[in-house]
């Protein structure tokens, strides 16, 4: 069956360090992959999209990699700040219809 | 600019009562529209999506239904709520075609008692 897995345990890091979040998937052939940020009690906010033929995408302090052979995406936040503390969701869209399917999310906590 | 409105923000309903949640999008036309549900501490589950008026696909069989009476209006309904319908309901839209991020509404926290 199709599955998207993100680290269920919260990630705790020190301010200034790089946070790395992982998204693994099975039985998908995604056309693209997206990352969202969600704060408690709020709707997710779109951060980045990376296509199947792209290896890496950057936006300010954010970097996403996409390895279709490993079936994995890594999401990096460099020079992390306490304001980056949130839950980060990975989402895949397949080639048929483009519906987004979300992972469970990983909670990131950046300590000052 | 495009905006998405979703209401109400919170709702407490007794078991067996009806439900109607509304979502509207402004500043765009022909959006793809989506209803998701998020249980506490869980990911988002896709419930319904629509690519046009009266074109609605259901992803999860349940006692919920969706309608799209106008291009930019999406309604989630139930005739009789169950305890298991409690959750955080999110409406979202995106442009037609692929390669666009979703824009989510602020969500409705539904508690069925």
């Amino acid at each position: 069956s199709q599955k998207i897995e993100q680290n269920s345990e919260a990630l705790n890091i020190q301010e200034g360090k790089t946070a790395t979040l992982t998204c693994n998937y099975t039985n998908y052939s995604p056309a693209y992959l997206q990352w969202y940020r969600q704060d408690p009690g709020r709707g997710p906010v779109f951060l980045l999209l990376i296509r199947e033929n792209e290896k890496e995408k950057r936006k300010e302090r954010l970097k996403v990699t996409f390895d279709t052979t490993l079936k994995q995406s890594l999401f990096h936040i460099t020079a992390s700040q306490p304001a980056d503390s949130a839950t980060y969701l990975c989402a895949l869209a397949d080639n048929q219809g483009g519906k987004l399917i979300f992972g469970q999310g990983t909670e990131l906590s950046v300590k000052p | 600019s495009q905006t998405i409105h979703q209401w109400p923000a919170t709702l407490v309903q007794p078991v067996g009562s009806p439900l109607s949640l509304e979502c509207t999008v402004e500043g765009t036309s022909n959006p793809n529209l989506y209803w998701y549900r998020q249980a506490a501490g869980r990911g988002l589950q896709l419930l319904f999506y629509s690519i046009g008026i009266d074109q609605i696909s259901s992803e999860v069989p349940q006692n919920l239904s969706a309608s799209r009476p106008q291009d930019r209006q999406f309604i989630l309904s139930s005739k009789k709520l169950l305890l298991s319908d409690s959750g955080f309901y999110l409406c979202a839209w995106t442009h037609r075609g692929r390669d666009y991020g979703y824009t989510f509404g602020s969500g409705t926290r539904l508690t069925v008692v």
Side-chain angles (χ1 to χ4, degrees):
Chain A
S1 63
Q2 296 176 319
K3 191 181 293 186
I4 304 172
E5 292 183 340
Q6 296 184 251
N7 289 348
S8 56
E9 293 184 9
L11 179 63
N12 298 302
I13 65 168
Q14 206 66 33
E15 182 176 8
K17 301 293 186 183
T18 296
T20 299
L21 286 71
T22 304
C23 175
N24 295 298
Y25 60 92
T26 54
N27 296 324
Y28 273 109
S29 295
Y32 54 87
L33 185 148
Q34 301 185 12
W35 282 89
Y36 288 78
R37 168 185 173 139
Q38 186 175 26
D39 292 287
R42 310 288 295 273
V45 175
F46 171 70
L47 296 174
L48 279 169
L49 178 153
I50 186 166
R51 298 176 181 82
E52 58 184 331
N53 60 349
E54 297 176 318
K55 297 292 186 184
E56 182 178 299
K57 183 74 71 76
R58 292 175 184 263
K59 179 183 176 183
E60 299 173 351
R61 294 185 295 113
L62 309 180
K63 184 179 83 171
V64 172
T65 62
F66 193 12
D67 189 326
T68 55
T69 301
L70 291 178
K71 297 186 183 299
Q72 181 181 78
S73 174
L74 299 178
F75 177 78
H76 306 273
I77 305 175
T78 59
S80 59
Q81 305 165 1
D84 295 326
S85 298
T87 295
Y88 291 86
L89 302 165
C90 161
L92 302 180
D94 60 24
N95 284 305
Q96 305 167 358
K99 302 186 300 290
L100 270 189
I101 307 300
F102 284 81
Q104 305 276 61
T106 297
E107 183 179 350
L108 172 66
S109 178
V110 181
K111 303 296 184 184
Chain B
S1 64
Q2 302 100 349
T3 56
I4 181 169
H5 301 279
Q6 186 180 345
W7 67 93
T10 60
L11 195 58
V12 180
Q13 292 284 99
V15 169
S17 64
L19 173 73
S20 180
L21 302 181
E22 190 162 342
C23 172
T24 60
V25 180
E26 296 178 355
T28 189
S29 58
N30 301 317
N32 287 351
L33 296 171
Y34 306 85
W35 280 110
Y36 283 86
R37 178 171 61 198
Q38 188 174 33
R42 306 287 298 277
L44 278 70
Q45 179 187 37
L46 179 61
L47 302 176
F48 300 94
Y49 71 97
S50 171
I51 62 172
I53 292 176
D54 296 329
Q55 298 181 65
I56 297 168
S57 297
S58 172
E59 290 295 301
V60 181
Q62 58 216 328
N63 68 323
L64 299 172
S65 62
S67 61
R68 185 171 177 172
Q70 300 179 43
D71 180 47
R72 293 170 291 173
Q73 183 184 30
F74 206 22
I75 297 172
L76 182 69
S77 304
S78 174
K79 292 182 179 178
K80 288 185 177 182
L81 285 169
L82 307 172
L83 286 174
S84 58
D85 292 323
S86 295
F88 191 43
Y89 288 82
L90 290 155
C91 179
W93 79 273
T94 189
H95 291 286
R96 290 288 172 87
R98 308 187 312 185
D99 297 11
Y100 293 101
Y102 284 23
T103 300
F104 283 84
S106 53
T108 296
R109 175 75 60 192
L110 171 67
T111 303
V112 182
V113 297

